[in-house]
DNA sequence: ATATCGATTATCT
DNA sequence: GATAATCGATATG
């Protein structure tokens, strides 16, 4: 079984707990719908350390989840707060579906729906640690070379990670992340459960004091952090 | 190192 | 017509 990482340095970059077995990331199975059919706070906590995967033809992109935010039902900061609209319909639907929105005229943000059909809730992906497909991510981001210093610029931030994975509303909104046929999914690669720290959310005005941002504190790909 | 600002458009009032 | 779950560039200490 071949190791699919681009460089040895990649996986070892930030001291993530070593895996016992090399992983063929493209073969990892999607997390089941029941995983997402829970409170977004619980889903957020459990998503840290999981792997986001994209299959693009023969290529596979993989990156570890290191920062997310929960958006609850009846949450003033959530897009669903003012009621169901065409844009936010996915949040009100069944759990485990990709919700993509376009923001500031420039960027896409990638979320997934939580809680049962009829109840709005979601999780926003804010930062990933790249594992596989570094060159492809760099190209998608418009960066020539992903050297050590620039690696954080690939997937550290919600707009950045969406761009690195080629995630757009037209392509991915409404996609079932739990389907084995999906080209976008999330999996458990067997790595150890990371430490989790909870902070307030970024870039919002309403309910800005609520502790609903979940990060892996020692990970350098968490957004809004200087190089160490 | 932190602050401020412009880009650019879908969505909602 | 205003706003936005952001980013990158530029300015300033």
């Amino acid at each position: 079984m071949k190791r699919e990482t681009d460089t040895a340095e990649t996986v070892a970059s930030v001291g993530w707990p070593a895996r016992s077995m090399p992983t063929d990331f493209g073969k990892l199975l999607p997390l089941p719908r029941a995983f997402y059919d829970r409170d977004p706070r619980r889903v957020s906590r459990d998503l840290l350390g999981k792997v986001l995967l994209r299959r693009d033809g023969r290529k596979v992109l993989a990156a570890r989840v290191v920062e997310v935010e929960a958006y609850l039902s009846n949450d003033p900061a959530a897009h669903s707060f003012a009621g169901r609209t065409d844009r936010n319909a996915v949040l009100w639907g069944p759990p485990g579906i990709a919700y993509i929105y376009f923001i500031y005229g420039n960027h896409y943000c990638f979320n997934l729906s939580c809680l049962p059909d009829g109840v709005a809730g979601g999780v926003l992906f804010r930062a990933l640690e790249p594992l596989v497909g570094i060159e492809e991510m760099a190209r998608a981001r418009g960066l020539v070379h992903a050297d050590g210093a620039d690696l954080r610029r690939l997937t550290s931030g919600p707009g950045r990670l969406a761009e690195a994975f080629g995630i757009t509303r037209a392509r991915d909104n409404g996609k079932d992340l739990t389907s084995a046929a999906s080209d976008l999914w999330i999996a458990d690669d067997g790595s150890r459960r990371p430490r989790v720290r909870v902070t307030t959310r970024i870039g919002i005005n309403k309910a800005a004091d609520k502790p609903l941002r979940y990060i892996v504190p020692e990970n350098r790909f968490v957004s809004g952090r200087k190089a160490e």
Side-chain angles (χ1 to χ4, degrees):
Chain A
M1 182 161 298
K2 101 182 147 117
R3 177 177 278 272
E4 289 194 347
T5 46
D6 292 32
T7 66
E9 171 199 25
T10 301
V11 162
S13 60
V14 285
W16 200 273
R19 249 186 302 286
S20 50
M21 300 284 288
T23 300
D24 187 345
F25 286 95
K27 290 187 175 154
L28 296 175
L29 297 177
L31 296 172
R33 192 161 328 275
F35 181 91
Y36 303 106
D37 195 358
R38 298 181 293 161
D39 186 291
R41 289 168 288 204
R42 173 56 64 79
V43 176
S44 292
R45 184 176 291 274
D46 289 348
L47 275 173
L48 293 183
K50 300 295 190 292
V51 181
L52 176 66
L53 296 145
R54 166 76 99 182
R55 191 186 310 281
D56 201 358
R58 200 180 243 82
K59 303 273 190 177
V60 171
L61 304 181
R64 196 171 303 283
V65 182
V66 299
E67 176 183 356
V68 297
E69 284 176 358
Y71 286 85
L72 313 180
S73 63
N74 274 97
D75 177 352
H79 286 178
S80 53
F81 187 64
R84 182 176 188 142
T85 66
D86 285 344
R87 176 172 77 147
N88 68 31
V90 166
L91 291 175
W92 296 86
I97 309 295
Y99 167 55
I100 320 294
Y101 64 87
F102 189 60
I103 192 69
Y104 294 114
N106 283 296
H107 309 287
Y108 290 99
C109 290
F110 170 47
N111 309 246
L112 52 78
S113 60
C114 301
L115 297 170
D117 197 2
V119 184
V123 174
L124 166 69
F125 288 79
R126 287 198 53 92
L128 308 171
E129 176 185 352
L131 298 173
V132 178
I134 307 274
E135 289 303 316
E136 287 75 15
M137 293 184 209
R139 202 176 311 131
R141 291 275 295 115
L143 305 174
V144 184
H145 261 317
D147 59 55
D150 280 335
L151 215 50
R152 290 182 71 260
R153 292 162 49 82
L154 291 184
T155 53
S156 183
R160 288 168 171 177
L161 72 87
E163 188 170 42
F165 271 68
I167 292 171
T168 67
R169 182 166 171 93
R171 181 180 182 187
D172 298 304
N173 191 58
K175 193 168 277 182
D176 185 355
L177 301 170
T178 71
S179 165
S182 176
D183 64 350
L184 186 66
W185 75 104
I186 299 152
D188 186 339
D189 72 335
S191 62
R192 222 176 63 203
R193 174 180 288 272
R195 186 191 330 281
V196 175
R197 178 177 298 160
V198 188
T199 77
T200 55
R201 294 176 291 188
I202 307 279
I204 60 171
N205 301 298
K206 292 161 287 190
D209 58 325
K210 304 286 184 219
L212 292 171
R213 172 174 176 253
Y214 297 77
I215 66 175
V216 179
E218 65 270 26
N219 191 282
R220 65 188 265 257
F221 289 89
V222 170
S223 73
R225 168 178 301 191
K226 297 295 173 189
E228 282 149 34

